[in-house]
Amino acid sequence: MKKSNMKTNLIISGDCREILKTLPDDCVDLIVTSPPYADKRNHSYGGIHPDHYFAWFIPIALELKRVLKPRGSFILNIKEHANDGERGIYVLEMVLTLKKLGWRWTEEYIWHKKNSFPGKWPNRFRDSWERCYHFTKQKNFKMYQKAVMVPIGKWAEKRLNNPIKSDFIRLESNSESGLGRKVQNWVGRKKVYPTNVLHLPTVVTNVNHSAAFPPDLPEWFIKLLTKKGDVVLDPFLGSGTTALVAKSLARKYIGIEIKSQYVRLAEKRLKSNKVKI
Amino acid sequence: MKKSNMKTNLIISGDCREILKTLPDDCVDLIVTSPPYADKRNHSYGGIHPDHYFAWFIPIALELKRVLKPRGSFILNIKEHANDGERGIYVLEMVLTLKKLGWRWTEEYIWHKKNSFPGKWPNRFRDSWERCYHFTKQKNFKMYQKAVMVPIGKWAEKRLNNPIKSDFIRLESNSESGLGRKVQNWVGRKKVYPTNVLHLPTVVTNVNHSAAFPPDLPEWFIKLLTKKGDVVLDPFLGSGTTALVAKSLARKYIGIEIKSQYVRLAEKRLKSNKVKI
DNA sequence: GTTCCGCATGAATCGATAG
DNA sequence: ACTATCGATTCATGCGGAA
């Protein structure tokens, strides 16, 4: 298929291991996805065993690399589970595998889930964060940092209400380090750049999908890594959040989902332009 | 050396690869440390190259495992640096290596550095988090969760005073999550258990040490994983923060540091009982 | 319109019990 | 011994209806 002929703004029903092969080379600006976690979601992709997880992902990773444009990005949201008191290592193995396949591990963003799943155990606290790996094909990739700047107002407001020790220490070190002066430069500024920690609550509204990530998560990465008209791909679309957000931001989208019930749900959500149906 | 004869509350000057051998088996309740990062701190331990990092750490990891009590814990604060636009994989390799050596990877806590150093790069935001790996020798290890409870969120103020009807009626969740509620456990509650995300500011002190972590970090883990009179070890003591905190919490400490100037600084801080000198 | 209040829900984890 | 299922534990958020 020629790139120029490629259809966009569509949801494809099927196994991404097959569907991806039908896409042309270098046709996607951003991949944002959250694959089924090991040993979970038993009915789609057969509930991949942790020991086979990264091997299962290899052909997918290769296809994703092929369809991504040279200056594009691949955002992978994942978190290993605890089992018998230990964290699984399949996610770490996956990073090493992706690197061997030629992906560059650019960054690891932390999604801090403020409303994480409740529960209590003798030697474990609640898991309230997930990994968002950022992989690229090249050192130089597209990044529009200004698109995700955050108002300094919120930050400053929080600081005023809840000052921390180092705020005062910084003032003391004003004369010596110059750091204090830099902080002074921030005063009066309207917007600042964010960090690599994202504070987003999980989705609690019922979208009939057990693993939907919040719209703010793909939104942040789509704004950061694409501009209007760019193509966003999610090979594990689920209930369609990535496509929905891409559409609302005037990006083109391609979504692939293996379960027909989720395909229908995603199409319904896209039609209504509503997160919740 | 017999365990009973072991001296505590001391700082040992020297290379931990040698010093650790002089400690008896099963003599330490908690190890908290932040080792020299790969390719950094060039003057201590010779600036370990990323490719040799986990191999360099193997003999240390084995000694640490030997001196740790069966139900003790090992907290490893570390974060890979970016090099040529990529995150290094030596930390991931280290986790896999430690597992091969028999350590159990119990948990990965995120230290969210609320006031990370300002800065801007074309392809990268400020790095505002670090990993705190929790390794143990056994599935059952000592953990005193109540010691680190935090105030309950603002949302609960009303609920605590005015429990709602459903708190008493609804004991089972309607969904498939299998989650029910027992609100009698909540009534009058002022504190909740924390999560595996720690929100601590970085501390800018005049302490002349490149990797000084804030006292709050070892404090949290010492409270969580030891009780009074227990022995805390830091094989890369640096400016002595771990020892200082252990002392202030009535724990015994053993610190090992290779650079004599840091040994002197740590001793000075311990003598004065002050974080900042 | 706002704010308040009721309330459902969640990519969890572990130990015990059953097959 | 090894897997499968079940019950118990727990907290912050958004939504929708009411005030």
Side-chain angles (χ1 to χ4, degrees):
Chain A
M1 189 197 296
K2 285 182 189 171
K3 218 187 295 184
S4 52
N5 291 337
M6 185 180 67
K7 285 184 188 172
T8 55
N9 296 337
L10 79 167
I11 296 173
I12 307 171
S13 182
D15 189 326
C16 70
R17 286 171 293 187
E18 300 304 321
I19 305 293
L20 284 171
K21 292 178 188 166
T22 68
L23 298 180
D25 295 357
D26 303 337
C27 66
V28 164
D29 295 278
L30 172 64
I31 301 161
V32 186
T33 198
S34 188
Y37 293 4
D39 239 348
K40 297 285 166 183
R41 292 215 279 175
N42 289 322
H43 297 296
S44 57
Y45 295 99
I48 305 98
H49 190 277
D51 294 348
H52 310 137
Y53 196 83
F54 72 87
W56 165 78
F57 200 76
I58 286 176
I60 299 169
L62 287 171
E63 284 300 310
L64 293 178
K65 188 150 166 278
R66 184 184 62 76
V67 302
L68 187 68
K69 290 182 187 172
R71 304 219 302 143
S73 285
F74 170 28
I75 300 295
L76 179 65
N77 167 228
I78 198 165
K79 179 66 186 275
E80 62 273 16
H81 288 264
N83 196 302
D84 192 35
E86 274 194 293
R87 291 272 166 207
I89 58 172
Y90 63 92
V91 172
L92 308 188
E93 290 171 330
M94 187 138 143
V95 175
L96 299 177
T97 302
L98 286 173
K99 270 195 68 97
K100 279 177 195 151
L101 298 178
W103 283 103
R104 289 174 60 89
W105 177 25
T106 297
E107 181 58 301
E108 181 174 345
Y109 293 85
I110 294 297
W111 171 21
H112 172 218
K113 304 185 288 185
K114 220 190 160 190
N115 58 337
S116 57
F117 205 97
K120 186 188 178 302
W121 309 275
N123 44 24
R124 183 175 299 284
F125 288 131
R126 291 180 300 142
D127 188 7
S128 92
W129 63 278
E130 292 193 14
R131 309 177 192 276
C132 294
Y133 287 111
H134 184 180
F135 293 101
T136 62
K137 293 170 80 166
Q138 299 181 358
K139 186 178 176 182
N140 289 317
F141 54 91
K142 292 179 294 178
M143 193 179 208
Y144 310 98
Q145 298 188 348
K146 285 187 178 175
V148 293
M149 288 183 93
V150 292
I152 198 170
K154 248 186 186 174
W155 175 82
E157 199 180 333
K158 258 188 188 173
R159 215 34 103 72
L160 288 175
N161 293 337
N162 201 7
I164 56 182
K165 257 184 251 174
S166 62
D167 283 348
F168 303 108
I169 293 167
R170 269 186 178 173
L171 290 176
E172 287 171 21
S173 66
N174 206 345
S175 57
E176 285 188 19
S177 66
L179 182 58
R181 237 174 292 130
K182 278 182 188 168
V183 173
Q184 289 302 313
N185 287 344
W186 287 19
V187 175
R189 203 182 279 187
K190 293 282 182 285
K191 290 191 168 190
V192 296
Y193 293 103
T195 71
N196 56 1
V197 177
L198 283 62
H199 302 274
L200 303 174
T202 58
V203 171
V204 294
T205 54
N206 184 14
V207 291
N208 294 313
H209 188 285
S210 61
F213 48 33
D216 286 350
L217 190 67
E219 179 174 328
W220 196 82
F221 287 110
I222 289 172
K223 282 180 176 171
L224 177 64
L225 300 167
T226 68
K227 55 186 192 302
K228 286 185 183 179
D230 281 358
V231 179
V232 178
L233 166 68
D234 187 343
F236 302 97
L237 188 68
S239 56
T241 303
T242 301
L244 200 65
V245 173
K247 185 185 175 189
S248 74
L249 293 172
R251 272 70 168 176
K252 294 169 186 160
Y253 61 85
I254 301 172
I256 306 171
E257 172 56 40
I258 196 168
K259 291 191 79 177
S260 56
Q261 71 185 88
Y262 289 142
V263 172
R264 285 193 297 273
L265 175 60
E267 282 170 344
K268 212 165 146 190
R269 292 174 82 200
L270 277 162
K271 211 169 184 179
S272 71
N273 284 323
K274 282 180 187 174
V275 169
K276 188 186 174 186
I277 295 195
Chain B
M1 189 196 296
K2 286 182 188 172
K3 219 188 293 186
S4 54
N5 291 339
M6 186 179 65
K7 285 183 189 172
T8 55
N9 297 334
L10 79 169
I11 295 173
I12 308 172
S13 181
D15 188 327
C16 71
R17 286 170 292 186
E18 299 303 321
I19 305 293
L20 284 171
K21 292 178 188 166
T22 68
L23 298 180
D25 294 357
D26 302 336
C27 67
V28 164
D29 295 277
L30 171 65
I31 301 161
V32 186
T33 198
S34 187
Y37 294 178
D39 237 350
K40 299 284 168 183
R41 293 216 276 171
N42 287 322
H43 299 296
S44 58
Y45 294 98
I48 306 98
H49 190 278
D51 294 348
H52 309 138
Y53 196 81
F54 72 87
W56 165 77
F57 200 76
I58 286 176
I60 298 169
L62 287 172
E63 283 300 309
L64 292 178
K65 187 149 167 279
R66 185 184 62 77
V67 301
L68 187 68
K69 291 181 186 173
R71 304 220 302 143
S73 286
F74 170 28
I75 300 295
L76 179 64
N77 167 228
I78 197 166
K79 178 68 183 277
E80 59 274 10
H81 288 265
N83 196 303
D84 191 35
E86 275 194 292
R87 292 276 168 201
I89 57 171
Y90 59 92
V91 172
L92 308 187
E93 290 172 328
M94 188 136 141
V95 175
L96 299 177
T97 302
L98 286 173
K99 271 192 67 96
K100 281 178 193 150
L101 298 179
W103 283 103
R104 289 176 60 92
W105 179 24
T106 296
E107 181 58 303
E108 181 174 346
Y109 292 87
I110 294 297
W111 168 25
H112 173 220
K113 300 186 284 187
K114 286 193 286 192
N115 59 341
S116 60
F117 198 87
K120 187 186 176 306
W121 301 267
N123 290 342
R124 188 172 296 285
F125 287 131
R126 289 178 294 146
D127 189 4
S128 71
W129 63 277
E130 292 192 16
R131 310 175 192 279
C132 294
Y133 287 111
H134 184 179
F135 294 99
T136 61
K137 293 170 77 168
Q138 299 180 357
K139 187 177 177 182
N140 289 315
F141 55 90
K142 292 179 294 177
M143 195 179 207
Y144 310 98
Q145 299 187 346
K146 286 188 178 173
V148 293
M149 288 183 93
V150 293
I152 199 166
K154 273 188 175 176
W155 61 270
E157 282 175 12
K158 299 159 191 169
R159 287 287 290 282
L160 289 176
N161 296 331
N162 300 318
I164 60 179
K165 241 188 267 176
S166 76
D167 285 346
F168 299 99
I169 293 169
R170 181 180 156 258
L171 295 176
E172 299 291 330
S173 167
N174 294 329
S175 74
E176 293 173 1
S177 65
L179 203 59
R181 283 193 288 190
K182 275 193 184 173
V183 147
Q184 54 267 37
N185 293 342
W186 288 29
V187 174
R189 185 174 295 185
K190 294 282 185 290
K191 291 191 165 190
V192 298
Y193 294 101
T195 70
N196 58 359
V197 176
L198 282 62
H199 301 275
L200 304 175
T202 52
V203 171
V204 181
T205 65
N206 288 345
V207 171
N208 185 22
H209 188 272
S210 58
F213 46 36
D216 289 349
L217 190 65
E219 180 174 326
W220 196 83
F221 287 110
I222 288 172
K223 282 180 177 172
L224 177 64
L225 300 167
T226 67
K227 57 185 192 302
K228 286 184 184 178
D230 281 359
V231 178
V232 178
L233 166 68
D234 187 343
F236 302 99
L237 186 69
S239 55
T241 303
T242 301
L244 201 64
V245 173
K247 184 185 175 189
S248 73
L249 294 172
R251 272 71 168 174
K252 294 169 187 160
Y253 61 85
I254 301 174
I256 305 172
E257 172 56 39
I258 197 169
K259 290 190 79 177
S260 56
Q261 71 186 89
Y262 288 139
V263 172
R264 284 194 298 273
L265 176 58
E267 282 172 344
K268 209 165 148 189
R269 291 175 82 201
L270 277 162
K271 209 168 183 179
S272 72
N273 284 322
K274 283 180 187 172
V275 170
K276 188 181 171 186
I277 292 194

